[in-house]
């Protein structure tokens, strides 16, 4: 049932501010917080569940408020993806970049500290990929979803898949 225009305005304002705050907090907390989810999947999935629970359990939340809240999430998701596909600057603001954690057998200590990753996690990623020594790995990368990519020693390759990895170009320059 429809409660009031004030209730709808409240849902719109609080929903908008809550969405923005959630994005900011997730972006500040880093990609390890999400581990396997991107921030927008996380926000939409949790928010849909929360809205549905409120609609089902709270007598104070009207169907129209819930529909508005879900519609806002869908609209925000569409706008964010539409703009990020068309603007590299905007995409840089909302999307984390992959980070180089190990390069040519050497652990990148500053990157580990900054990304809150332990050496043990890097070693586990190597073992999971059948690599027994650091020297057998060209690179270990912390991906935008919190997963690890392991690249075995590169022979006669341009390593073009690594060009967008934070720290890779710096390592290449240092090696030349």
């Amino acid at each position: 049932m429809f409660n009031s225009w004030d209730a709808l305005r409240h849902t719109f304002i609080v929903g908008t501010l809550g969405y923005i705050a959630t994005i900011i907090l997730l972006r500040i907390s880093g990609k390890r917080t999400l581990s396997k989810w991107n921030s927008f999947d996380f926000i939409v999935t949790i928010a849909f569940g929360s809205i549905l629970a409120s609609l089902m359990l709270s007598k104070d939340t009207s169907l129209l408020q819930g529909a508005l809240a879900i519609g806002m999430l869908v609209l925000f998701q569409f706008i964010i993806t539409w703009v990020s596909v068309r603007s590299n600057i905007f995409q840089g603001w909302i999307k984390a970049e992959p980070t180089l954690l190990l390069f040519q057998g050497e652990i990148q200590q500053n990157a580990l500290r900054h990304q809150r990753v332990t050496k043990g996690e890097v070693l586990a990623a190597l073992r999971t990929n059948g690599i027994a020594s650091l020297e057998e790995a060209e690179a270990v990368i912390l991906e935008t979803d919190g997963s690890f990519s392991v690249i075995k020693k590169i022979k006669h390759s341009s390593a073009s898949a690594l060009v967008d990895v934070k720290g890779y170009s710096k390592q290449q320059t240092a090696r030349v």
Side-chain angles (χ1 to χ4, degrees), residues 101 108-118:
L101 302 177
Q108 307 300 302
Q109 292 297 334
N110 287 339
L112 291 183
R113 239 184 330 276
H114 186 259
Q115 297 298 328
R116 299 184 325 263
V117 175
T118 66

Side-chain angles (χ1 to χ4, degrees), residues 55-56 75 78 92 95 103 114 119 127-128 133 139 150 157 159 176:
L55 285 172
M56 293 174 69
L75 178 64
F78 177 81
K95 183 181 171 195
F103 183 71
H114 186 259
K119 182 179 177 183
R127 291 189 302 270
T128 300
S133 71
V150 176
S157 173
V176 176

Side-chain angles (χ1 to χ4, degrees), residues 42-57 70 73:
F42 176 80
I43 291 167
V44 171
T45 301
I46 300 302
F48 280 158
S50 179
I51 292 166
L52 183 58
S54 292
L55 285 172
M56 293 174 69
L57 301 175
I70 290 171
L73 289 175

Side-chain angles (χ1 to χ4, degrees), residues 2-165:
F2 179 70
N3 291 343
S4 71
W5 288 108
D6 285 337
L8 290 179
R9 187 171 36 258
H10 178 270
T11 299
F12 182 78
I13 292 168
V14 170
T16 300
L17 295 175
Y19 183 81
I20 291 168
T22 303
I23 289 173
I24 290 169
L25 290 171
L26 287 173
R27 191 69 178 104
I28 289 170
S29 69
K31 53 192 159 193
R32 292 291 295 186
T33 303
L34 300 175
S35 190
K36 298 286 186 190
W37 269 358
N38 69 46
S39 56
F40 304 106
D41 293 337
F42 176 80
I43 291 167
V44 171
T45 301
I46 300 302
F48 280 158
S50 179
I51 292 166
L52 183 58
S54 292
L55 285 172
M56 293 174 69
L57 301 175
S58 174
K59 293 179 183 175
D60 296 330
T61 305
S62 72
L63 181 57
L64 195 52
Q65 282 177 293
L68 175 62
I70 290 171
M72 287 169 39
L73 289 175
V74 170
L75 178 64
F76 291 152
Q77 188 76 353
F78 177 81
I79 291 169
I80 295 287
T81 55
W82 189 88
V83 173
S84 69
V85 167
R86 288 160 180 76
S87 168
N88 289 336
I89 293 170
F90 185 76
Q91 187 177 32
W93 289 339
I94 63 165
K95 183 181 171 195
E97 59 187 335
T99 304
L100 190 66
L101 302 177
L102 177 136
F103 183 71
Q104 295 182 341
E106 292 182 24
I107 299 282
Q108 307 300 302
Q109 292 297 334
N110 287 339
L112 291 183
R113 239 184 330 276
H114 186 259
Q115 297 298 328
R116 299 184 325 263
V117 175
T118 66
K119 182 179 177 183
E121 290 173 298
V122 173
L123 296 175
L126 291 171
R127 291 189 302 270
T128 300
N129 285 274
I131 296 178
S133 71
L134 296 176
E135 296 73 26
E136 294 178 51
E138 182 73 17
V140 174
I141 298 146
L142 178 62
E143 298 293 352
T144 60
D145 66 358
S147 65
F148 295 95
S149 291
V150 176
I151 300 179
K152 296 178 182 179
K153 272 292 188 203
I154 299 172
K155 296 177 183 165
H156 312 302
S157 173
S158 67
S160 58
L162 300 177
V163 297
D164 70 336
V165 176

